[in-house]
Amino acid sequence: MNLNNYQTNISNVLIIGCGGAGLRAAISVKQAGLNVHILGKRPKSDAHTVLAAGGINAAFGNLDSDDSWEEHFNDTYKEGYGIGNPLKIEIMAKESPQLVEEIESWGANLAKLKNGKLDQRFFGAHKYRRTCYSGDFTGLTILRTLLKKVETLNIPIYDSEYVTELLIKDDTCFGALSFNTASSIKTIHLADSVILCTGGHTRIWKKSSSRKNENTGDGFYLALEAGCKLIDMEMVQFHPSGMVLPEEIAGTLVTEAVRGEGGKLFNNKGERFMEKYDRERMELSTRDKVAMANYTEISEGRGTSNGAVYLDISHKSRDFILDKLPTIYRQFLDAQMIDISISPMEVAPTAHYSMGGILVDPEDLSTSIKGLFAAGEVAGGLHGANRLGGNSLAEILIFGKRAGIASAEYSKKINCQLRSKAVIENANKKINNFIKKGNELITPLQNDLRQIMWKYCGVVRNKELLKEGYQKIKSLKHKLNDVDVRINENNCQDLALVFDLKASLLSAEATIISALEREESRGAHQRSDFPEINNNLKFNCLVEKDNKNNNLKVSKLPLKKLRTDLINIISITKKDNNLKGKLLE
């Protein structure tokens, strides 16, 4: 790598992230008649979207005719414990049917009923069957469909590009700097507007459903460094069911579709323990409640010898399982030589989804930095304190489309784009500063961080643990300055990993200080020293960078108020809460 050389790429709109949100945003930009480029850290066919297996929500009412956008709104707002942005939830509930129909018309292979309408399954805490699906590989189907559409529109995707910094001048974004992880070539991407679609930060926990080198908090880091704010970083969803064996894949997701299709949870005494935690909804309770139930059974000694509980769907026929859950069937066969049509699975909570994220306008997904937008998991506001399964795939399509439209409109309105040679040179210098010999190796530090977050900021937290974890994070940050980074023209892996670690440490700090600020247990955020929800604490945690001392600071942001018509929707839908028939026995 020539440390001072770089090439230049110019577009109207630059999208960082080649998952579902980024691809859908790019389609909208192209349809608006503008030039758009997509950068991907991972191969374009293997973005994190493929792990969203179980389905996508849309209130069609194809099986339950009483379903409506109002019911979808109510479920999402209520089960998010009232801290989600009402307008963003309303937009999602209203627009998801249109976007699901669109992706289906583009070729997504979603399951159909005999009458030709889309089939819909139950997912946890949804009042009605509103989750459309393609077996247990819905995210993969949607990603492939979007890739085909992008290819048809001749939108270029540059994968293996690692973005290290957004280019900001006078609170305006004019592009980004990246390097290619294979060739080591650096590129300045100049653009009128930029959309962050980079996912979350759940890989920074020891047990995570994310794969190696993804979901390391890149987008949160880029946003904070650019001057944006984050909200609700303490709200990290621990999915109830992650694999526990073998060790190298511990945390790999076992989709909620298993429970949606009738899977039952048992402890080591053979007790179907969800009766103690949610007698009505049982295994189809909210993810936070099922995760806490699993955690409690394990921590109190009623788990398996491998630190898990049993998830059993063997009461269903093998043909049924192969039709509804083909990926999970093969997953356990390949990893453990277990036939789930005969034997139960062992599962435990796993870090799964970042429900907080960049503070954005709910309608156009703009940030506090002009020309910078964010969509998908990297953006906060939709899920509150608990994400309902199936909402994330709806989120990437709906808000990816909206961000694409808004960024195109922004590009068309500006007369000229600011550029700063000094900003570009400084971003380039930051990369060069990491390339040096050192006494610390990156991988052990990454492992230390994952252990710290699991132990000190895991499923259940308290002030003492969080403060100790915070000090350990600060200690790791000091070691970052002495990391050994070697590169050559064919390998930039060390450089990518050190920026991953830098982003992860900042994301971890934002999460811990937010968790300390919220002195209650609400949804996914569980504090043993504040075990009850406090309805007087009506706020979102707001994190921003304090430029005076270069640290992060946290404050309370008052919740967005519900409009009267939305209050009426909640009061009406609460009256009918009949759950009969939902457990799929």
Side-chain angles (χ1 to χ4, degrees), residues 323-383:
D323 178 46
K324 300 290 187 179
L325 304 164
T327 305
I328 293 298
Y329 182 86
R330 187 57 185 257
Q331 186 171 303
F332 275 87
L333 204 59
D334 289 346
Q336 300 177 8
M337 285 301 293
I338 287 177
D339 183 342
I340 65 172
S341 68
I342 299 173
S343 304
M345 298 158 265
E346 288 186 75
V347 299
T350 179
H352 180 56
Y353 196 89
S354 306
M355 293 177 292
I358 302 170
L359 179 63
V360 296
D361 181 278
E363 295 184 277
D364 67 8
L365 290 306
S366 60
T367 70
S368 58
I369 299 299
K370 288 180 287 186
L372 182 61
F373 303 80
E377 188 176 355
V378 76
L382 179 62
H383 306 291

Side-chain angles (χ1 to χ4, degrees), residues 414-425:
I414 62 174
N415 293 318
C416 61
Q417 178 58 280
L418 289 173
R419 296 180 188 175
S420 169
K421 186 176 181 180
V423 168
I424 293 171
E425 290 179 347

Side-chain angles (χ1 to χ4, degrees), residues 202 205-209 238 244 250-251 306-307 348-352 450 454:
T202 49
W205 278 265
K206 178 185 175 183
K207 295 179 182 178
S208 170
S209 62
F238 290 88
V244 294
N306 295 313
T350 179
H352 180 56
R450 297 184 74 204
W454 188 258

Side-chain angles (χ1 to χ4, degrees), residues 1-56:
M1 174 188 282
N2 187 318
L3 298 183
N4 296 313
N5 285 356
Y6 48 81
Q7 60 186 23
T8 303
N9 198 355
I10 301 174
S11 61
N12 295 115
V13 179
L14 176 68
I15 296 174
I16 303 173
C18 61
L23 296 175
R24 187 58 190 83
I27 291 167
S28 288
V29 175
K30 188 70 173 183
Q31 289 174 336
L34 298 186
N35 181 260
V36 57
H37 292 168
I38 306 172
L39 304 182
K41 172 178 161 181
R42 295 185 66 87
K44 61 185 178 183
S45 61
D46 193 34
H48 189 68
T49 304
V50 303
L51 298 186
I56 180 170

